[in-house]
Amino acid sequence: MPLDGLTIKVLTDELKELLRNGRVLKIYQPDEATVTLQMRLPGCTETLLLSADPVYPRFHTMEENLLNPQTPPNFCMLLRKYLEPGRLLTIEQQGFDRIVQLRFETIDELGRPAELSLVLEIMSRQSNLYLVDSQGMILDALRRVPGRDILPGRKYMPPSDQGKLDPASLSAEQFVDEIRLMPGQTPVWKWLADSFQGFSAAAAKEVLCRAGLDTRTVRSELAEADWQQVQKAFSSLLQEVLGGGNPAYYPDTDDFAAYTLTGRRAQPFPSTNTLVGAVLSLKQSFKQLTEAKGVLRRKVGQHLKRLAKKEAIHNLALQEAEHAGLLRLQGELLTAYFHLIPAGASEVQVPDYSQDGQLVSIPLDPRLSPSANIQRIFKRYH
């Protein structure tokens, strides 16, 4: 399952407390989609990973060191210029959306205090990371997207929230009123996922499980008493998230979440930060291994094709070498008995001096003259 807005909420709250006032020591960019920030905190150093990978975008702290290129990419050099040695003020989530802002206090080129932000959009293939100034202007982005006006010097505009509601701002009565407006044949889980920020399909179906309803339930199948049950389940899930969550991995379905998934075997984690780091880093490593295997398989296949062509050429040369002695003999016999070769003949029989004068048949090309046939045979011999 993807990293949804509810899990990001818990993760953001955890990292806000863990990394607040951390001093940026060094910034690296190990690959085209990933940036790491080494941060000094009282008594320890933490490394924060920010990934805009199109398959596994994420952010979390990490203990291992990634391999970094000898020459830092341009975006990495820009971050070093503006953020080292800045201080992290806070980490904020935009509502319950999959947009996270890291605000830094730093010093500008004139030595004056300044505030800059790293904005991470966790949007699958559209995931991106931006460096934005205090006026909301883009200094640069990990991926420049002209079609969305994601270019240096342009105003940063977050993606549309598609009119989704903030789940924390809705009262119980307002929630029930929203249910009343739902079209009759709409699956309830889809309505939840489409109407509220942060609710993935898994979170929406979890609401129905907590309400004691089938996840395939549509609006017309809800009794008025069910409305209250859905609202209570919705509130229960939201309060669990706002209270710090219950991070766990669910091995039977290969899912993970910062909240409980009812009726599934769970493997608890001490924090959402460690959960996201462990699960998504492993998935990322497996993806990279699969991609590397594919590249290696293609290269080996191409090399085998080249070797097969060379083998065919060498086999042909060996076959011709095996017949070289016969070709030389045929050429010498035709030269010796040139006067016996009729024009336009497809073969000729001549005495073979190596076989006590026995007649041997030598194939000819009837389109060629006798002398041209002799030249053709000697050419094949050489």
Side-chain angles (χ1 to χ4, degrees), residues 67-277:
L67 292 176
N68 296 293
Q70 290 185 347
T71 302
N74 291 336
F75 186 66
C76 179
M77 294 296 290
L78 183 81
L79 295 183
R80 289 180 178 181
K81 174 183 176 181
Y82 283 102
L83 296 182
E84 293 180 3
R87 182 172 63 90
L88 179 65
L89 297 175
T90 189
I91 304 177
E92 300 170 338
Q93 182 183 16
Q94 181 176 302
F96 281 81
D97 213 341
R98 292 180 295 170
I99 301 174
V100 178
Q101 180 180 11
L102 293 84
R103 291 172 45 218
F104 294 88
E105 180 185 67
T106 185
I107 303 297
D108 67 14
E109 296 172 341
L110 299 178
R112 298 172 301 188
E115 185 175 307
L116 298 174
S117 295
L118 275 176
V119 180
L120 177 63
E121 294 179 352
I122 300 177
M123 305 286 180
S124 299
R125 293 190 177 277
Q126 283 72 47
S127 297
N128 212 340
L129 181 65
Y130 310 83
L131 180 63
V132 180
D133 67 15
S134 58
Q135 304 302 314
M137 305 302 291
I138 298 174
L139 298 179
D140 209 345
L142 196 62
R143 299 186 182 96
R144 297 182 180 182
V145 186
R148 214 189 109 191
D149 218 17
I150 300 174
L151 296 168
R154 304 297 175 86
K155 184 79 172 178
Y156 170 70
M157 299 296 292
S160 169
D161 61 6
Q162 300 174 324
K164 291 187 177 183
L165 302 171
D166 183 342
S169 66
L170 220 62
S171 68
E173 293 76 14
Q174 289 172 322
F175 183 89
V176 172
D177 288 341
E178 291 292 332
I179 293 180
R180 288 194 179 96
L181 299 175
M182 192 195 323
Q185 295 306 308
T186 301
V188 179
W189 75 263
K190 191 174 188 309
W191 170 75
L192 288 166
D194 291 344
S195 300
F196 296 97
Q197 295 176 7
F199 276 73
S200 61
K205 290 177 180 179
E206 173 59 23
V207 170
L208 294 182
C209 288
R210 295 188 183 197
L213 298 171
D214 191 293
T215 56
R216 296 167 295 182
T217 301
V218 298
R219 162 66 179 83
S220 60
E221 296 172 341
L222 290 179
E224 190 164 344
D226 294 329
W227 301 355
Q228 302 298 330
Q229 290 302 111
V230 172
Q231 189 281 321
K232 289 179 181 178
F234 181 86
S235 178
S236 165
L237 178 56
L238 188 60
Q239 291 307 312
E240 181 182 357
V241 167
L242 295 176
N246 291 293
Y249 172 67
Y250 298 88
D252 295 339
T253 53
D254 193 26
D255 287 334
F256 69 96
Y259 45 86
T260 304
L261 296 178
T262 303
R264 303 195 201 182
R265 183 169 62 92
Q267 179 183 333
F269 272 73
S271 69
T272 301
N273 179 41
T274 55
L275 169 68
V276 172

Side-chain angles (χ1 to χ4, degrees), residues 258-308:
Y259 45 86
T260 304
L261 296 178
T262 303
R264 303 195 201 182
R265 183 169 62 92
Q267 179 183 333
F269 272 73
S271 69
T272 301
N273 179 41
T274 55
L275 169 68
V276 172
V279 174
L280 290 187
S281 293
L282 182 61
K283 289 179 179 289
Q284 174 75 13
S285 298
F286 183 76
K287 186 194 81 163
Q288 291 173 338
L289 178 61
T290 302
E291 291 173 348
K293 286 168 61 178
V295 171
L296 182 60
R297 188 177 292 111
R298 286 193 296 272
K299 288 184 176 180
V300 170
Q302 292 169 356
H303 190 60
L304 288 175
K305 286 182 180 179
R306 287 195 294 268
L307 290 177

Side-chain angles (χ1 to χ4, degrees), residues 342-347 365-370:
S346 59
E347 66 175 3
D365 187 340
R367 298 169 299 176
L368 302 178
S369 65

